[in-house]
Amino acid sequence: MAQKFDVHILGCGSALPTHKHLPSCQVVNVRDKLFMLDCGEGAQLSWRHTGLGWSRLGHVFITHAHGDHVFGLPGLISSMALMGRTAPLHIYAPSSLRPFVQCVLANFCVGMDYDVEFHAVDTMRHALIYDDRSIEVWSLPLQHRVPCCGYLLKEKQGLPHIRREMIDFYGIPTWAINGIKAGQDWQTPDGQTVPCSRLTTPADPVRSYAYCTDTMPTDALPEMIRGVNLLYHEATYADAECAMAKNYAHSTASQAALVAQRAEAGQLMLGHFSARYDDESQLLHEAQSIFPNTILASERMCVAVR
Amino acid sequence: MAQKFDVHILGCGSALPTHKHLPSCQVVNVRDKLFMLDCGEGAQLSWRHTGLGWSRLGHVFITHAHGDHVFGLPGLISSMALMGRTAPLHIYAPSSLRPFVQCVLANFCVGMDYDVEFHAVDTMRHALIYDDRSIEVWSLPLQHRVPCCGYLLKEKQGLPHIRREMIDFYGIPTWAINGIKAGQDWQTPDGQTVPCSRLTTPADPVRSYAYCTDTMPTDALPEMIRGVNLLYHEATYADAECAMAKNYAHSTASQAALVAQRAEAGQLMLGHFSARYDDESQLLHEAQSIFPNTILASERMCVAVR
């Protein structure tokens, strides 16, 4: 069974909140380590519906310094302090967000028991900005009205799986297992060599998730996320509003679908819906006519990356 | 029929939001003019459930610079700009909140079509800080861990009501009505004097609402709000937690009830509930044993001031 790689949608509306949608925020659960993508107002409120533990959240990635992507940060930072957090919280964002974070820390978080570490992200570069044993996070330059970048979360290649029945058959001791997983063959007591390929099955394929909002279409993006399993791409407007989309540096549903098509993505999830749409099925149909495997994001939804 | 004087509860929880409660925020509707009291995170989101028009909101009164009372301001200010607001928004708050408001305006509201005017309130003084044709707003010094004051909203005395049947009986012309309301007697064509008391019924009694959070009990408060029709008083804790209440400069339900009793309030509404209580009926019973006409605040509730 594949390890956890789930995307929880906390908010998928655009700047103006509606009865239906909250501002942008997602939590990605990678093997029970949590990563937040954007932090719109209400993030800490809707977090409670996910049932996820606060202490597992260590890193927040912000696309750009527009209010509907960051106004949940003050409440998130303060509440985690009240809940007794001591581990540092890392915020990755364009440098333009730094003054706001500093202002919040200086005015509301004096004497807090944990540190908030701000990491300025160069939104013009496609670069590795974070990695640990299980995942890499890459910045994805986007084109919006202010410095903005998306994020690509990519699993690291795991180890092959041990074939328990073969281990038992050859009576291989536990101490040798890690070596075999790492590619070593096994020597039997009578000098026979058993290639590790006979003792293992291949590692799980690497999965990836791309979070791309807010942006107008760019030629470079599809190449940077080629073969991504799941792509979240903003679709603020329907095709009829393409002039407005261009004017505000946003995308239409069809433009989002074209990105998914060119990137040969596995699945497309649309979000950042304009408040003008009571029902986004129109956006869905426009996207599906170009990229059939498209779904609409919605609050409280959890999508597994496959 | 009395004119509108309604209190809409948008949030009545304390610092840690729960599934049940949002941070502090209320909207008071006085004759269709709206006044916001505190602005916790999610204020603009729950506002939508009230069905009230944004444009009627002109003044926001903040008790103190703790996050759970102010983190809704950035979203409120930004969204009203997106909705095309041009009228100034007046924020009354302790001066300690000014840097946060300035930071939000400088980083997220450049080129906005309306002004936000910050009015520093001296939390140590019981003073008139706002008035218009229909209402006065007074500051109420409170005792918390940071400079903090409550607010007393008090109707101005209206004019007496014209007795339509008497006006018709004497054939009094329309141009004379305002004079009679203002207290002038009426001279009939044949020289008879009709005292205005016969032509009018008394004006409606003046109503008042006091919003008192966050605070520990103070001796001065009851006198400042004597005879208030409706008192919202924080009751963060039950009596069993009175040591904690003192430690954090908050009140218990009983302490809130004693304030209502000493102030000879008409009705008491408890709020700012600690997240530890799944059910606040315990707080209600403790308060009612001292001040029977007590109710619990809850989100989406609307209480008329009578």
Side-chain angles (χ1 to χ4, degrees):
Chain A
M1 175 191 150
Q3 288 176 288
K4 260 192 209 137
F5 193 172
D6 300 335
V7 178
H8 297 262
I9 308 297
L10 274 58
C12 58
S14 57
L16 274 185
T18 64
H19 286 294
K20 208 169 143 197
H21 294 302
L22 295 170
S24 296
C25 183
Q26 302 186 359
V27 178
V28 184
N29 183 344
V30 182
R31 305 177 192 181
D32 289 325
K33 238 177 144 175
L34 305 179
F35 302 87
M36 184 175 277
L37 299 170
D38 280 336
C39 189
E41 181 175 4
Q44 68 160 332
L45 310 178
S46 27
W47 174 288
R48 300 177 175 274
H49 301 301
T50 65
L52 298 168
W54 291 101
S55 60
R56 298 185 180 283
L57 175 66
H59 303 80
V60 179
F61 299 87
I62 301 291
T63 56
H64 63 298
H66 275 166
D68 57 319
H69 296 255
V70 302
F71 284 162
L73 281 173
L76 182 80
I77 294 169
S78 306
S79 290
M80 289 203 294
L82 286 170
M83 289 183 282
R85 183 186 183 98
T86 54
L89 180 72
H90 298 271
I91 298 177
Y92 297 78
S95 57
S96 50
L97 187 66
R98 194 190 293 271
F100 180 62
V101 173
Q102 285 173 334
C103 168
V104 169
L105 294 175
N107 288 280
F108 299 99
C109 305
V110 176
M112 194 167 73
D113 289 334
Y114 75 95
D115 294 329
V116 172
E117 294 182 19
F118 187 91
H119 307 265
V121 175
D122 179 352
T123 60
M124 306 295 283
R125 290 183 56 232
H126 175 43
L128 179 69
I129 58 172
Y130 168 84
D131 79 323
D132 58 28
R133 282 191 334 192
S134 48
I135 198 151
E136 294 179 345
V137 180
W138 293 74
S139 56
L140 301 168
L142 298 177
Q143 195 170 339
H144 195 44
R145 307 193 301 280
V146 297
C148 182
C149 69
Y151 295 99
L152 174 65
L153 282 71
K154 200 171 167 185
E155 279 183 316
K156 285 186 176 174
Q157 182 66 65
L159 294 171
H161 300 286
I162 286 294
R163 293 177 60 185
R164 178 53 52 194
E165 75 284 10
M166 298 301 283
I167 299 301
D168 297 343
F169 177 80
Y170 287 104
I172 298 173
T174 314
W175 60 260
I177 298 294
N178 286 343
I180 291 166
K181 278 188 171 184
Q184 292 167 18
D185 300 334
W186 172 250
Q187 300 290 338
T188 62
D190 56 11
Q192 181 192 353
T193 296
V194 185
C196 70
S197 59
R198 287 194 58 201
L199 302 171
T200 58
T201 54
D204 297 326
V206 164
R207 296 167 295 176
S208 59
Y209 172 60
Y211 176 74
C212 301
T213 190
D214 299 357
T215 187
M216 59 200 302
T218 74
D219 296 335
L221 182 59
E223 203 40 59
M224 289 185 279
I225 60 174
R226 179 155 308 290
V228 70
N229 298 84
L230 176 62
L231 166 63
Y232 176 91
H233 196 287
E234 75 135 286
T236 309
Y237 298 105
D239 297 355
E241 279 76 51
C242 64
M244 193 177 296
K246 186 174 182 183
N247 191 22
Y248 290 108
H250 280 300
S251 299
T252 65
S254 297
Q255 290 168 335
L258 282 172
V259 173
Q261 187 185 58
R262 290 184 187 138
E264 292 165 354
Q267 185 175 40
L268 170 65
M269 177 160 50
L270 303 178
H272 200 266
F273 308 118
S274 164
R276 78 192 54 219
Y277 305 111
D278 294 332
D279 164 15
E280 293 98 14
S281 58
Q282 179 191 358
L283 303 177
L284 181 63
H285 298 139
E286 289 176 356
Q288 284 178 331
S289 68
I290 295 166
F291 191 82
N293 192 10
T294 301
I295 58 174
L296 294 172
S298 69
E299 281 72 9
R300 303 202 189 187
M301 183 181 190
C302 177
V303 183
V305 180
R306 290 202 180 82
Chain B
M1 174 191 152
Q3 288 175 289
K4 260 192 209 136
F5 193 172
D6 300 335
V7 178
H8 297 263
I9 309 297
L10 274 58
C12 58
S14 57
L16 275 184
T18 64
H19 286 294
K20 208 169 143 197
H21 294 303
L22 294 172
S24 297
C25 183
Q26 302 186 359
V27 178
V28 183
N29 183 344
V30 182
R31 305 177 192 180
D32 289 324
K33 238 177 147 177
L34 306 180
F35 302 87
M36 184 175 278
L37 299 170
D38 280 335
C39 188
E41 181 175 4
Q44 68 160 333
L45 310 177
S46 28
W47 173 288
R48 300 178 174 274
H49 301 301
T50 65
L52 299 167
W54 290 101
S55 60
R56 298 186 179 282
L57 175 66
H59 303 79
V60 180
F61 299 87
I62 302 291
T63 56
H64 63 298
H66 276 166
D68 58 317
H69 296 255
V70 302
F71 285 161
L73 281 173
L76 182 80
I77 293 169
S78 306
S79 291
M80 290 203 294
L82 286 170
M83 290 184 280
R85 183 185 183 100
T86 54
L89 179 72
H90 298 271
I91 298 177
Y92 297 77
S95 57
S96 50
L97 187 66
R98 194 191 293 271
F100 180 63
V101 173
Q102 285 173 333
C103 169
V104 169
L105 294 175
N107 288 281
F108 299 98
C109 305
V110 175
M112 194 167 72
D113 288 335
Y114 75 95
D115 294 329
V116 172
E117 294 181 20
F118 187 92
H119 307 266
V121 175
D122 179 352
T123 60
M124 306 296 284
R125 289 184 56 232
H126 175 43
L128 179 69
I129 58 172
Y130 168 84
D131 80 320
D132 59 27
R133 281 191 335 189
S134 47
I135 198 151
E136 294 178 346
V137 180
W138 293 74
S139 56
L140 301 168
L142 297 178
Q143 196 169 336
H144 195 43
R145 307 194 300 279
V146 296
C148 182
C149 68
Y151 295 99
L152 175 66
L153 282 71
K154 200 172 168 184
E155 279 183 315
K156 285 187 174 173
Q157 182 65 66
L159 293 171
H161 301 286
I162 286 294
R163 293 176 60 186
R164 179 52 53 195
E165 75 284 9
M166 298 301 284
I167 298 300
D168 297 344
F169 177 80
Y170 288 104
I172 298 172
T174 314
W175 59 260
I177 298 294
N178 286 344
I180 291 167
K181 278 188 171 185
Q184 290 167 21
D185 299 334
W186 172 250
Q187 301 288 339
T188 60
D190 55 9
Q192 182 191 352
T193 296
V194 185
C196 70
S197 58
R198 285 193 60 203
L199 304 171
T200 58
T201 53
D204 297 325
V206 165
R207 296 167 295 176
S208 60
Y209 172 60
Y211 176 74
C212 301
T213 189
D214 299 359
T215 188
M216 58 200 302
T218 74
D219 295 336
L221 183 58
E223 203 40 59
M224 288 185 279
I225 60 173
R226 178 156 308 289
V228 70
N229 298 84
L230 177 62
L231 166 63
Y232 176 92
H233 195 289
E234 76 135 285
T236 309
Y237 298 107
D239 296 354
E241 279 76 51
C242 64
M244 193 176 296
K246 187 175 183 183
N247 191 21
Y248 291 108
H250 280 301
S251 298
T252 64
S254 298
Q255 289 169 334
L258 282 171
V259 173
Q261 186 185 58
R262 290 183 187 139
E264 294 166 352
Q267 186 174 39
L268 169 65
M269 177 160 51
L270 303 178
H272 200 266
F273 307 118
S274 164
R276 78 191 54 219
Y277 305 111
D278 295 333
D279 164 15
E280 294 96 15
S281 57
Q282 179 190 359
L283 303 177
L284 181 63
H285 297 140
E286 289 176 357
Q288 284 178 331
S289 69
I290 294 166
F291 190 82
N293 192 10
T294 301
I295 58 174
L296 294 171
S298 70
E299 281 72 8
R300 302 202 190 188
M301 183 180 188
C302 177
V303 183
V305 179
R306 290 204 182 81

